[in-house]
Amino acid sequence: MRETTTVRRPLRLRPVRPSGWWFDGLLVAAVVALTAALAAGQLLDVDLTVREWVNAHRPEPARQVAVVFNFLGQGGWVLMPLTFGLGVAVAVRTRSIRPLLVGVGAFALTSFTIGPAKIWADRAAPSSTLPPEESVQIFATLPPDEWDLSYPSGHVANTFVWYGAVALLLAALLRTLDRPAAPRSLYVAIRVAPPAIVLCTTTYLGWHWITDSVAGLLLGLLLGRLLGRVPWDDLPLPALPGGVHRRGVFTDDL
């Protein structure tokens, strides 16, 4: 009796824009350069100037609006449930576990990078009651009761990763419903608009220094590109009951 063998397709990374790894290298270099500049005492005057300006131009109605829009960057309360909700919907329709891996990947990518970076940087928030020359410092030795997780901004970084996952799953869901594909501009807006809004609101509210937000933007863009490269349909999985390891409905590009 002849044995049959299963031919596995070669694992090929999904394309991202701009293509190639050179842009990722630039992002890494930018994060390193920004961190080094802050550690050397540069750009701290910029942070303090922006903090003074937003504190002087934050009437209560504007603050309330900013708080609402800042929820776009809430990973645990908004983005994670939204991503896994879409993942479950696509998984049910395709009878495949692969759509759920997108949310798992986003969670792992953000948890093992942003959090440790905050602990390592040990920077106080702009709302700190410490003297300005102490609160703005990075790699500081802060009192035990001081909020020291300001750099980089997790809200800003989260938005790139989680909304990239949302765009991917939304496209897959429309495909399973046999709906016309949404214009690519919609997916670009999903990926770009929330980070821009969260960067502005989190800085305006005084929850992060402006350089925290910029670092979060650079790091989030890098992580979002890494997540976007994952070939979800071709990831090797063991044979699971009911065939739920079957390929999903992810295209190579949005």
Side-chain angles (χ1 to χ4, degrees), residues 104-114 161 222-228:
V104 174
F107 176 79
L109 199 58
T110 54
S111 298
F112 291 106
T113 54
I114 300 172
V161 179
L222 173 66
L223 297 178
R225 285 171 60 84
L226 294 178
L227 187 76

Side-chain angles (χ1 to χ4, degrees), residues 5-242:
T5 58
T6 300
V7 178
R8 189 183 300 277
R9 298 195 314 174
L11 206 61
R12 183 171 62 89
L13 297 180
R14 291 164 50 88
V16 293
R17 289 189 176 92
S19 61
W21 292 94
W22 64 270
F23 191 70
D24 304 77
L26 285 180
L27 292 172
V28 171
V31 173
V32 171
L34 176 59
T35 305
L38 292 171
Q42 302 173 8
L43 302 177
L44 302 184
D45 288 344
V46 175
D47 280 322
L48 292 171
T49 299
V50 172
R51 181 179 72 169
E52 292 175 4
W53 188 91
V54 297
N55 285 346
H57 297 83
R58 193 166 54 229
E60 184 58 22
R63 189 195 71 83
Q64 293 178 1
V65 171
V67 168
V68 171
F69 278 102
N70 195 255
F71 273 97
L72 289 171
Q74 284 286 354
W77 300 351
V78 177
L79 301 180
M80 190 184 302
L82 175 60
T83 301
F84 278 100
L86 285 171
V88 168
V90 179
V92 169
R93 293 196 60 82
T94 59
R95 296 192 294 277
S96 171
I97 198 174
R98 291 180 183 274
L100 299 178
L101 299 180
V102 178
V104 174
F107 176 79
L109 199 58
T110 54
S111 298
F112 291 106
T113 54
I114 300 172
K118 286 174 170 288
I119 295 173
W120 175 63
D122 197 26
R123 193 186 200 188
S127 56
S128 171
T129 57
L130 293 173
E133 63 276 8
E134 295 181 27
S135 63
V136 76
Q137 292 293 330
I138 193 172
F139 303 125
T141 302
L142 301 174
D145 59 343
E146 182 68 35
W147 176 263
D148 59 353
L149 301 176
S150 188
Y151 183 90
S153 169
H155 275 63
V156 177
N158 276 336
T159 54
F160 276 105
V161 179
W162 287 104
Y163 282 105
V166 166
L168 181 66
L169 290 167
L170 180 60
L173 180 60
L174 291 176
R175 201 169 299 113
T176 65
L177 295 172
D178 295 325
R179 298 290 181 84
R184 186 175 179 276
S185 58
L186 173 63
Y187 298 114
V188 172
I190 291 174
R191 287 179 162 132
V192 173
I197 293 172
V198 172
L199 186 150
C200 294
T201 56
T202 198
T203 305
Y204 179 70
L205 289 167
W207 294 350
H208 282 285
W209 305 98
I210 183 62
T211 52
D212 295 341
S213 298
V214 172
L217 184 148
L218 296 170
L219 179 59
L221 184 53
L222 173 66
L223 297 178
R225 285 171 60 84
L226 294 178
L227 187 76
R229 281 191 168 95
V230 178
W232 303 105
D233 274 345
D234 296 327
L235 288 178
L237 295 178
L240 299 173

